[in-house]
Amino acid sequence: MKLLEDLNPQQREAVTSPPGPVLVLAGPGSGKTRVLAHRIAYLVEHFGAQPREIMAMTFTNRAAREMSGRVEQLLGSADALQPVSKGGVSLSTFHSLCARLLRRESDLLPVNRQFVIFDESDQHAIIRQALKEINLDPKQVQPGKVHGLISRAKNELIELEAFEANTYFAEITRRVYQRYQQLLLRNNALDFDDLLLWTVRLLREHDDLLAKYRRRYPHILVDEFQDTNTAQYILLRLLAGEEPDLFAVGDPDQSIYRWRGADYRNVHRFKEEYPQAKIILLEQNYRSTQTILNAATAIIDRNPGRQPKRLFTDRGAGVNITFNEAYDENDEARLVIETIASLTYSGQVEPGGCATMYRTNAQSRALEEAFLKAGLPYRLVGAQRFYGRREIKDLIAYLRLIHNPADQVGLLRVLNTPPRGIGAKTVETLLQAASQAELDPAEVLLDLAEGDRSQFAGVFTRRAGAALTEFGRALQGWIKIHDELPLISLIDRVLEETGYREYIDDGTEEGQDRWANIMELRGVAQEYQEMGLTTFLEHVALVSDQDTLTDSQNAPTLLTLHAAKGLEFPVVFIIGLDDGVLPHQRSFDDPEAMAEERRLFYVGITRAKDRLILLRTFRRRQAGVSKLSKPSRFLEDLPPDLVDGNLSTHQTYEQASYQRQTRWDKKFTQPIEARYQVGMQVHHPTFGEGVVLATEIDLDDEVVTVAFEGGKTKHLAASLAGLTILDE
DNA sequence: ATCACAATACTTTTT
DNA sequence: GTATTGTGAT
């Protein structure tokens, strides 16, 4: 059968297993996505499954997209890509599956069909509100910590009644938990954890519902099984039912979401609860050179209590790993760019084949700045940045409020944005009036919009009342039209009637950027024109890693190690190999957490196909202050013969610091000469011709300000920008 | 009472 | 660099 031609014996065994529980333990780069896609195709072609009976679950939309592409190719028709409603394979993340199910079965929920999904910051806001309501100071009790504990409980399917409080902090958390859930309901909202929790609850409590979904999806597949949390595991078991056809693929060594409730022991649980399960090991690696695999093995082997895996490839040893130390994060970023430049220039790799990975998002800033300074394009993964922006959150809050007027968090966000004379005092009065009348604050506003007949006409001062009434009228108008008008028109009306552009676009560069972001979101909305507001809002809440940048752009990728899972690149940089960054400081005192940091490094290493470049910095800015940093303890575990560059972790810290300090001082005190002069004609590969406006020496590089034809002015690093002098 | 600006403290990873 | 809180001007 053609489907099986290119598979090795293990892969083939997995793909052709008779329906039933199957656990594929796959090493990195062993083709597990491929196995999943082939399995889906094989179910259809060999076991006679209907595409619509197959449900494949992933953790990210990106993985779902990739798999649908492969399945489509294999089945040679558009069957797989068809929307579920038209009989295609269901490829979905856990969270969107649950959101859709809950929306459909909303009669059984304490929220109505219009419910919104609260994101991180919304959750944070109601945690703070809950803390205040039970008279706790958000400064003394960290809202994040409380929320973390609540979230973990929910992921373990521990509801309020079962929440045990045997410490002071747990008792506080229990009280906040109670209030938090009430507030969610009042906002007609669910958080991420609720999506899973409620789905499991409904399926457990309603036999007919369970039967319906079991019949609907007789074949279930899961990717990244090691990342399932308890709620997700139970959900899988519920859906798989009495005669499970459950095909799980995972790698315990790549489990990096423990903090989010993921429990790689679900792998053991799977073996125990499905003793008949077929277990298949995929060890051959098709991605990396043996050097990279050996380094990866050396790192992961230090973790206790794991089943050793032998990673092998027939690709040969390849080149050594490179390790380098930079002075600070800017220098580190520059080293990245310089190396990419030289590798691309010598034709060893395409710019798009390079990726730079880091432990924390904050580390991307220096990189971005360096890329911008050099005038080079890059792709940044992690759209959180986009959806986390103030202006984007504002616009989404408006839309959410229109869709679900009970959304108090959204209301409070936009009530005085742009400023319209509704201050803290007025807001307080409004909330009081609302709670006295047992109405949502938005309902009070809508009532005010009715004019003199309003029961609230006398509650507010004249000025405040007028401002609130005006907002109420606007809201009323939008609600009235939101079902009839296309999404875009709704957005345009909101922007226009609120004067949002004048508010945000103040003529500065930043203001223009912000307005451009609004227009970008408007563009996304355009794609959701037909599916409507509900789907759009759900997309916005659940699709965080949708790349705002196109795949087709041939530019280096910047991403966190977490975001890197499931990807591969010919050339990988892992930056910030400093103790406290990777491994992260917050993991130091917890062996389980340290093991996870190690797995994270392992994931990063195994993304590389041909070349791995490790970087650290001698000096690092944290919270504004620059501090000396120690090399990562993980560096000691790398076999020195695989690495070019001085790992030098055997020196004492003081010795090393002294040497490095003098070395760097020397490097940066050597004056360099300016090569450019004001008025010079220059040429840039991307921006074309321009005139030098200013030039300045910055450490050991020259920063040139150039006005390009077409009116753009850029600050460029002379050593990187690739400028040619045309005319003096 | 509202708002703009300054001072403050804090910063893992994500659906 | 960002989010929240505090202060002074209007």
Side-chain angles (χ1 to χ4, degrees):
Chain A
M1 186 179 240
K2 205 167 136 227
L3 243 171
L4 304 173
E5 265 169 21
D6 300 332
L7 301 178
N8 72 28
Q10 284 76 36
Q11 292 175 330
R12 193 174 299 189
E13 190 189 355
V15 169
T16 57
S17 300
V22 177
L23 179 60
V24 179
L25 293 173
S30 60
K32 67 181 169 59
T33 314
R34 193 148 176 245
V35 166
L36 274 168
H38 281 250
R39 171 67 173 181
I40 292 173
Y42 196 77
L43 282 172
V44 174
E45 293 206 344
H46 193 266
F47 291 115
Q50 294 295 316
R52 52 164 295 151
E53 294 174 337
I54 300 171
M55 162 64 76
M57 304 221 210
T58 57
F59 280 80
T60 64
N61 291 282
R62 194 194 62 217
R65 251 199 331 254
E66 191 193 331
M67 216 192 304
S68 82
R70 282 169 181 264
V71 173
E72 185 191 23
Q73 259 187 350
L74 289 172
L75 287 180
S77 74
D79 276 4
L81 261 190
Q82 289 285 322
V84 188
S85 55
K86 290 190 187 160
V89 175
S90 298
L91 287 157
S92 164
T93 63
F94 278 94
H95 285 87
S96 28
L97 169 77
C98 292
R100 280 203 310 270
L101 187 149
L102 293 177
R103 190 88 59 191
R104 208 174 303 134
E105 314 294 342
S106 59
D107 298 347
L108 302 169
L109 292 176
V111 292
N112 68 35
R113 193 179 292 271
Q114 310 298 312
F115 72 81
V116 292
I117 299 163
F118 267 12
D119 71 12
E120 181 104 25
S121 73
D122 304 319
Q123 294 168 30
H124 194 73
I126 53 172
I127 288 280
R128 292 178 133 267
Q129 195 183 336
L131 279 170
K132 271 185 204 144
E133 285 181 25
I134 51 178
N135 291 320
L136 286 162
D137 185 356
K139 262 185 247 162
Q140 278 167 21
V141 188
Q142 284 181 25
K145 279 201 171 155
V146 180
H147 183 241
L149 201 54
I150 294 173
S151 176
R152 219 172 312 154
K154 284 179 161 190
N155 283 323
E156 298 284 325
L157 298 173
I158 299 167
E159 298 195 54
L160 189 62
E161 304 75 46
F163 189 87
E164 278 184 44
N166 35 29
T167 65
Y168 174 70
F169 184 68
E171 174 57 24
I172 289 177
T173 305
R174 197 187 61 77
R175 290 184 200 173
V176 176
Y177 191 176
Q178 178 175 28
R179 197 72 203 108
Y180 175 76
Q181 288 304 103
Q182 286 171 357
L183 285 170
L184 278 172
L185 296 190
R186 175 162 317 157
N187 281 274
N188 195 31
L190 300 179
D191 66 12
F192 293 128
D193 307 319
D194 280 338
L195 294 175
L196 301 169
L197 186 70
W198 276 104
T199 305
V200 167
R201 212 174 137 171
L202 290 194
L203 291 178
R204 274 181 170 168
E205 288 173 3
H206 301 273
D207 290 343
D208 51 328
L209 204 63
L210 182 60
K212 176 172 138 193
Y213 284 98
R214 279 184 179 173
R215 240 178 293 123
R216 178 83 174 74
Y217 299 114
H219 310 285
I220 295 176
L221 301 93
V222 209
D223 193 11
E224 308 286 8
F225 180 67
Q226 77 283 352
D227 285 331
T228 50
N229 62 34
T230 303
Q232 286 158 334
Y233 179 75
I234 299 291
L235 177 63
L236 286 171
R237 262 190 37 203
L238 281 168
L239 288 175
E242 304 294 334
E243 285 171 43
D245 179 30
L246 181 54
F247 191 92
V249 181
D251 178 3
D253 288 332
Q254 293 188 58
S255 161
I256 52 173
Y257 286 105
R258 196 182 75 104
W259 49 274
R260 186 169 91 178
D263 191 347
Y264 61 82
R265 281 171 305 187
N266 282 339
V267 172
H268 304 297
R269 220 173 146 182
F270 187 99
K271 290 184 198 165
E272 270 167 35
E273 295 181 4
Y274 296 110
Q276 77 277 33
K278 194 162 183 177
I279 314 242
I280 293 156
L281 238 60
L282 301 183
E283 287 180 313
Q284 179 162 7
N285 181 293
Y286 295 94
R287 178 185 295 152
S288 312
T289 64
Q290 193 63 49
T291 299
I292 289 166
L293 292 183
N294 289 349
T297 307
I299 292 299
I300 201 68
D301 270 350
R302 300 262 171 166
N303 267 352
R306 53 180 285 278
Q307 188 185 346
K309 251 193 285 208
R310 199 174 59 89
L311 302 179
F312 65 97
T313 178
D314 50 22
R315 286 205 46 197
V319 298
N320 260 10
I321 293 164
T322 315
F323 170 73
N324 242 318
E325 182 178 73
Y327 178 66
D328 61 9
E329 46 268 89
N330 299 323
D331 190 48
E332 185 180 49
R334 219 180 37 191
L335 269 171
V336 169
I337 294 181
E338 274 171 11
T339 314
I340 292 177
S342 92
L343 287 172
T344 3
Y345 188 73
S346 59
Q348 295 184 59
V349 67
E350 292 272 294
C354 302
T356 307
M357 302 174 186
Y358 35 82
R359 175 68 236 265
T360 67
N361 278 310
Q363 290 172 265
S364 74
R365 194 161 300 132
L367 284 166
E368 288 189 74
E369 278 172 15
F371 272 99
L372 287 171
K373 211 166 152 188
L376 297 169
Y378 61 91
R379 297 187 292 171
L380 181 73
V381 176
Q384 221 141 20
R385 300 205 160 295
F386 182 69
Y387 286 102
R389 293 201 160 101
R390 200 175 73 213
E391 61 277 17
I392 298 302
K393 276 161 63 173
D394 286 345
L395 179 52
I396 289 170
Y398 271 109
L399 296 177
R400 258 178 27 187
L401 183 62
I402 294 163
H403 176 251
N404 170 39
D407 185 344
Q408 225 183 92
V409 175
L411 173 69
L412 292 182
R413 176 173 193 97
V414 297
L415 188 53
N416 201 31
T417 317
R420 46 174 78 89
I422 302 170
K425 198 79 195 175
T426 306
V427 170
E428 201 180 301
T429 321
L430 171 68
L431 291 180
Q432 255 168 30
S435 92
Q436 257 172 30
E438 294 190 352
L439 288 173
D440 292 326
E443 289 177 306
V444 173
L445 295 178
L446 293 174
D447 191 74
L448 276 171
E450 293 301 323
D452 298 339
R453 284 171 298 160
S454 170
Q455 52 173 312
F456 300 100
V459 178
F460 303 97
T461 62
R462 216 168 61 203
R463 236 183 28 191
L468 291 173
T469 305
E470 201 190 320
F471 186 81
R473 289 226 173 90
L475 182 61
Q476 193 179 44
W478 299 325
I479 292 177
K480 208 176 278 171
I481 59 163
H482 88 278
D483 270 340
E484 297 147 27
L485 277 186
L487 188 49
I488 289 289
S489 316
L490 178 67
I491 289 175
D492 288 340
R493 287 234 349 215
V494 171
L495 291 173
E496 196 187 312
E497 288 174 29
T498 54
Y500 199 80
R501 180 168 191 172
E502 294 75 58
Y503 164 66
I504 208 77
D505 185 0
D506 51 4
T508 62
E509 206 167 319
E510 194 199 356
Q512 284 172 7
D513 279 352
R514 291 191 185 279
W515 180 249
N517 288 333
I518 290 281
M519 286 297 107
E520 196 174 328
L521 183 65
R522 188 179 176 277
V524 179
Q526 204 140 31
E527 293 166 30
Y528 283 77
Q529 201 73 292
E530 280 143 44
M531 289 171 268
L533 187 55
T534 313
T535 316
F536 177 64
L537 289 174
E538 199 157 291
H539 165 86
V540 164
L542 294 179
V543 177
S544 71
D545 76 331
Q546 69 133 31
D547 334 353
T548 33
L549 306 128
T550 51
D551 295 337
S552 53
Q553 197 184 1
N554 184 14
T557 305
L558 314 181
L559 73 181
T560 63
L561 287 163
H562 283 89
K565 198 169 62 166
L567 300 175
E568 58 177 31
F569 301 89
V571 176
V572 167
F573 296 81
I574 301 178
I575 67 166
L577 275 158
D578 300 80
D579 232 35
V581 179
L582 180 63
H584 197 273
Q585 197 151 9
R586 289 173 83 130
S587 305
F588 281 174
D589 48 4
D590 178 357
E592 279 287 327
M594 281 302 278
E596 182 148 312
E597 298 285 326
R598 201 176 267 285
R599 291 194 292 268
L600 201 47
F601 187 31
Y602 174 75
V603 167
I605 294 173
T606 54
R607 298 310 93 196
K609 290 160 103 163
D610 307 322
R611 197 181 277 271
L612 178 66
I613 296 135
L614 306 175
L615 289 168
R616 71 166 293 262
T617 72
F618 165 66
R619 191 176 260 288
R620 179 172 291 284
R621 275 167 69 91
Q622 274 172 320
V625 275
S626 183
K627 285 194 298 202
L628 299 188
S629 82
K630 286 188 200 176
S632 169
R633 59 191 73 181
F634 292 160
L635 290 170
E636 295 170 28
D637 303 330
L638 288 171
D641 55 310
L642 300 181
V643 184
D644 294 339
N646 186 12
L647 293 170
S648 74
T649 42
H650 57 275
Q651 282 175 309
T652 69
Y653 182 47
E654 285 72 21
Q655 280 173 341
S657 322
Y658 178 74
Q659 283 182 9
R660 290 183 189 118
Q661 183 72 70
T662 39
R663 197 169 81 221
W664 288 116
D665 282 351
K666 215 181 276 170
K667 179 171 178 190
F668 285 124
T669 45
Q670 288 191 349
I672 62 155
E673 278 181 36
R675 289 199 298 133
Y676 298 89
Q677 281 174 3
V678 177
M680 269 181 181
Q681 288 276 341
V682 290
H683 181 268
H684 183 276
T686 316
F687 305 120
E689 288 185 20
V691 184
V692 175
L693 294 184
T695 168
E696 181 189 357
I697 304 293
D698 174 21
L699 287 179
D700 62 344
D701 201 0
E702 187 176 358
V703 179
V704 199
T705 310
V706 185
F708 288 102
E709 40 183 28
K712 278 200 173 163
T713 304
K714 295 273 171 189
H715 304 282
L716 302 167
S719 64
L720 300 168
L723 289 172
T724 1
I725 298 172
L726 298 174
D727 183 18
E728 311 210 350

